[in-house]
Amino acid sequence: MQALDVLLKGRNLARLLQGLWVTLSLSLAAIALSVALGLLVGMLMTMKNRAIRAFCRLWLETIRIVPQLVLLFLVYFGMAKAFDIQLSGEASAVIVFTFWGAGEMGDLVRGAVQSIPRHQTESANALGLTRGQVYRYVIIPQTVRRLIPQAINLATRMIKTTSLIMLIGVVEVLKVAQQIIDNARYDALQAAVGIYGVVFFLYFIVCWPISLAAGRLEKKWA
Amino acid sequence: MANPLLEVRHISKGFDGTGVLEDVSLTVHEGEVLVVVGPSGCGKSTLLRCINGLERIDSGEILLRGKPITGEKRDLVAVRQKVGMVFQSYDLFPHMDVMGNLLLGPTKALRRPKAEVEAEAMAMLKRVGLEEKAHALPRTLSGGQKQRVALVRAMLMKPEMLLLDEITAALDPEMVREVLNVVLDLAKEGMTMAIVTHEMRFAEAVADRVIFLEGGVIVEEGAPAQFFHHPKTERARQFLNTFVYEAAKKQSENSADA
Ligand SMILES: Nc1ncnc2c1ncn2[C@@H]1O[C@H](COP(=O)(O)OP(=O)(O)OP(=O)(O)O)[C@@H](O)[C@H]1O
Ligand SMILES: [Mg+2]
């Protein structure tokens, strides 16, 4: 196995895991920020104010139409050009992924809140619960149950999409793999497939348990 | 005559400029069962919803034991703790089991000790034949079972009055009876109720007084025997005739099946 030989040579494996750590830490930062902001954005999206709703609509369309890579270039190179602010690749990545994730998360929150039938609120009201109690015991638990599986799916999508950030110079797991392959080009030509296989495996062991949990929860709370 | 428990005085209510209730007045005395009938869209649900503060009235006032429960200083939460309501749609909370549904109001809104309410809840479930469903999730119950649980849930708040809005309208015919029997039992025990229903036989059996609502106004009011057999107004007669026709149709269908 050429790939294994190459991986076990020098610090290659450690570097690869370090790259994975970069992928994961940036993803986690963006996911955490997205969830926090997304909850707020979701509330905004359910409001009746037309200006706020139009703004949210525009935001959503933007992140859905414009490829994430373009957004990354816009922030990383564009900010430097336009405002002379040179953001690091990592910072640009977190900004773009949060911009994307918060919008999508907001839309998920909006959908979950609006999918709770009005009757649920009314029958909780009819029981003499206060507004706060209605939210705490009836609306929020049901919203969260609908939200969590979808939010987890979004999170795995975000983790996978972080592979794009190597194009703005962040050395994450895929970039490390490429470097390793490049260095071994002369003495282990066949290593590439194997190393990409290892990267595949790394993404898999990170995302698979998450997807599995999402599926379980979805079934349990259906 | 017993004390008036609920007084509705000259209330009007419209949605976006179209009037739904116009100058409606009625009184429900303690222990009395008032049945409200009328064609679809005449404002029956709106009337009950106004009483429970789910809709805001445009004018008039509503009093509970002589105290206004409408207007600026109303305390909706306090009113709803005294006036229970059950709706047509099954509206149990799907994320809690039956017992969870039953405990929520008494333990959170009334802050009563859980063990005490639980014992009461169990006894009530037994009465409506559902004690073995205490820990079932709502989605595993039939429509009739859900509505019985909804009735128990409302009763556990020990309300002074119950509002029932077509609670059997979404049920399969064979489940209607099991739910209506519970309501008849409550009436026998002296529960004060305002009931909207399309089940005319049940209405006649349960009512102390009947109100016929059409186009948002009370067209006729009277004792059940009189209203159902000798209605005073032509419009009530026509309304009741549609049910005679339906009953006859059902009967001929049944005999055709036999
Ligand atoms: N939230 C609302 N917004 C606008 N119009 C409404 C609203 N609720 C009810 N209405 C209208 O008010 C009228 C009375 O409705 P209501 O539900 O009280 O009738 P109902 O007598 O209960 O009818 P049904 O027997 O079909 O239940 C209807 O014309 C209905 O369209
Ligand atoms: Mg109605």
Side-chain angles (χ1 to χ4, degrees), chain A:
Chain A
M1 278 297 285
Q2 273 191 353
L4 263 186
D5 291 343
V6 171
L7 262 185
L8 295 177
K9 213 161 77 189
R11 294 191 53 252
N12 279 353
L13 185 60
R15 280 176 55 213
L16 199 61
L17 291 177
Q18 226 162 32
L20 183 67
W21 173 244
V22 170
T23 296
L24 283 182
S25 56
L26 290 181
S27 306
L28 285 180
I31 289 168
L33 285 171
S34 296
V35 169
L37 287 174
L39 290 173
L40 269 173
V41 173
M43 305 279 183
L44 289 181
M45 284 176 170
T46 55
M47 284 179 29
K48 292 212 172 72
N49 187 312
R50 273 165 181 245
I52 292 178
R53 288 231 309 251
F55 172 79
C56 292
R57 196 73 248 156
L58 188 72
W59 179 0
L60 263 182
E61 292 301 329
T62 308
I63 56 176
R64 284 182 183 165
I65 291 169
V66 182
Q68 274 85 27
L69 187 56
V70 175
L71 291 176
L72 281 171
F73 284 164
L74 271 178
V75 171
Y76 185 66
F77 299 113
M79 293 288 271
K81 260 234 153 76
F83 307 108
D84 212 21
I85 304 172
Q86 185 54 62
L87 290 168
S88 68
E90 285 84 354
S92 309
V94 172
I95 290 172
V96 166
F97 281 85
T98 302
F99 180 68
W100 171 39
E104 291 285 4
M105 184 71 191
D107 199 42
L108 293 180
V109 171
R110 180 201 55 75
V113 169
Q114 286 176 350
S115 71
I116 310 293
R118 200 172 52 123
H119 280 121
Q120 288 287 313
T121 315
E122 290 189 344
S123 49
N125 279 334
L127 277 179
L129 297 172
T130 61
R131 230 177 115 86
Q133 288 173 329
V134 172
Y135 269 92
R136 174 155 170 217
Y137 298 112
V138 178
I139 307 300
I140 292 178
Q142 292 188 60
T143 310
V144 167
R145 273 155 208 250
R146 280 173 210 219
L147 195 59
I148 284 184
Q150 295 167 308
I152 291 179
N153 284 336
L154 175 63
T156 55
R157 263 165 66 211
M158 287 172 72
I159 294 174
K160 286 183 293 194
T161 315
T162 50
S163 56
L164 293 177
I165 63 182
M166 69 173 171
L167 295 169
I168 55 170
V170 181
V171 183
E172 45 67 77
V173 64
L174 197 57
K175 184 71 193 175
V176 175
Q178 279 185 353
Q179 289 172 347
I180 293 173
I181 292 165
D182 273 354
N183 288 340
R185 199 166 28 196
Y186 296 110
D187 39 50
L189 248 184
Q190 307 306 318
V193 174
I195 289 185
Y196 281 128
V198 171
V199 172
F200 164 87
F201 177 71
L202 289 178
Y203 272 112
F204 181 80
I205 51 172
V206 169
C207 292
W208 185 59
I210 303 179
S211 298
L212 209 65
R216 283 265 170 83
L217 289 177
E218 213 154 6
K219 220 178 257 164
K220 185 170 160 207
W221 288 337

Side-chain angles (χ1 to χ4, degrees), chain A residues 118, chain B residues 15-16 20 38-47 55 88 165-166 196 198:
Chain A
R118 200 172 52 123
Chain B
F15 291 105
D16 316 315
V20 172
S40 183
C42 70
K44 305 179 296 290
S45 299
T46 306
L47 174 62
E55 305 286 354
Q88 169 183 334
D165 188 3
E166 295 197 47
V196 170
H198 282 298

Side-chain angles (χ1 to χ4, degrees), chain B residues 52-69:
Chain B
N52 209 22
L54 289 171
E55 305 286 354
R56 192 184 276 268
I57 57 174
D58 299 334
S59 61
E61 66 174 343
I62 302 176
L63 297 93
L64 188 69
R65 287 199 194 285
K67 289 202 195 86
I69 57 172

Side-chain angles (χ1 to χ4, degrees), chain B residues 189-200:
Chain B
E189 283 165 24
M191 187 71 213
T192 313
M193 292 186 274
I195 302 176
V196 170
T197 183
H198 282 298
E199 301 281 338
M200 291 303 143

